[in-house]
Amino acid sequence: MREKRDLKVQAIEKGTVIDHIPAGQALNVLHILGISGDFKSTVSFVMNAQGARGKKDVVKIEGKEINVGELNKIALIAPGATVNIIRNFEVKRKYNVIIPNYIEGVLRCINPNCISNSKEPIKSKFAVLQSEEKEVFLRCVYCNSIIYENIVRHLF
Amino acid sequence: MKDFSREEIDFVLDTAEKLEPAARGLEKSRLLDGKLVALLFFEPSTRTRLSFETAVNRLGGKTINLGSVEASSVMKGENLADTIRVVSGYADVIVMRHPKDGAGRMASEFSSVPIINGGDGSVHHPTQTILDLYTIRRESHLEGLKIAMAGDLKYGRTVHSLCQALALYGADMTFVSPPELRMPPEIVRELKRQKIRVKETDSFEGIIGDVEVLYMTRVQRERFPDPEEYLKVADSLRIDAKLLKAAKPELKVLHPLPRVNEIEHDVDSTPHACYFEQAFYGVPTRMALLALVAGVIK
Ligand SMILES: [Zn+2]
């Protein structure tokens, strides 16, 4: 119930609310979703909101329900994020983002000599893997380079 | 190489063995009769190119190529994807070598005909690994091999790929390198996970008498900012006939060639020298790969 009230404070009629984004990552989330100035809907976000589990960011996209496949991409930088689909000021659906096992575009390969960093008509492609310690890392499908940490730094 | 199973590797090696008499010119093969193989070498690699060209000819096929000079001028301005789309309209198989990492993988996305990756960037050199395995199988044995690999094990992709492939057969591996050029720890960890016995050392002391294959690699001067340090390291990793006196009679010395000075020329005339034969084995293994991807052997 508390959750619902929180969301209602900055209520939107319909759209998508992405909650529990690690503090400071809201802009990167928008970036991954390809949301920028020419986006049609109203987008608002709260940074460093005090949540039950510490500081967090929240993003609200009015009038648009973002598709699940798109949203799962943000799990790379916000694995604990939850998505609320709002209709008529009510949370209609709520789910946790799932780390996809394959990701296209979004990130640049760390290897400067990788074919995906040259002027070829291809998108970068990564297999998303997990170490035994459950840490997420990415392997470039082209050159096999691995991105272990600071995944955010490799966003396009 | 990681993507190959042991069964798949064995199948390629069996095929190579069947084609070996044709590779030696003792038999005539017409397997690639009427087939056109494009050799697209976007960076010079005379050795690999010659080996592929020989393989195609020994199978009765024909080659077309860019010519290494034209490769840089004619194709200037055109991206690799377009070149591949054009050439895959001409040829039945494309053999490619390219300076960018992952170029082979990308080419296969754009090609309508099979691509054989003859090396891209510093990453893949899958045909080298197959020929190394074939050499070991022909001259020694793959199962439970006692092997030492020496030289630049940190950056040497050939040895990374080889030890991962050998792990499929069970092996006892000794890595000989200076501390700064040691085998990457993640590879060692992965080998140990596969129950491979691994020993790491920085000299040949106590090693030579114990192994069945000694795989030598170059140590590149560029890896050492200090020339003195380079000389010291290069010297400690050099083998000669005297050192090999301690070896078992069946020891085989392999090297992907070209060598710099890590194998003294007096080794060439010992029964241990196997690197020229290894270079030859590149022909039957490439013949096998060509015949398999062209679908003329199934
Ligand atoms: Zn890459």
Side-chain angles (χ1 to χ4, degrees), chain A residues 87-106:
Chain A
R87 282 177 206 156
N88 210 5
F89 296 103
E90 295 277 334
V91 176
K92 274 285 165 235
R93 231 155 28 89
K94 184 183 174 118
Y95 60 91
N96 300 316
V97 294
I98 303 165
I99 297 176
N101 39 33
Y102 179 80
I103 192 150
E104 222 176 89
V106 186

Side-chain angles (χ1 to χ4, degrees), chain B residues 62-118:
Chain B
K62 288 200 161 59
T63 60
I64 53 171
N65 63 65
L66 299 166
S68 56
V69 189
E70 290 147 69
S72 52
S73 55
V74 173
M75 298 298 173
K76 202 173 273 175
E78 183 172 74
N79 61 37
L80 176 64
D82 285 2
T83 304
I84 293 296
R85 282 187 278 211
V86 169
V87 175
S88 68
Y90 301 158
D92 301 296
V93 175
I94 295 175
V95 175
M96 194 186 87
R97 188 181 181 96
H98 197 278
K100 292 276 179 189
D101 299 320
R105 158 78 202 220
M106 191 205 79
S108 64
E109 293 174 1
F110 287 91
S111 179
S112 54
V113 300
I115 300 259
I116 294 180
N117 188 354

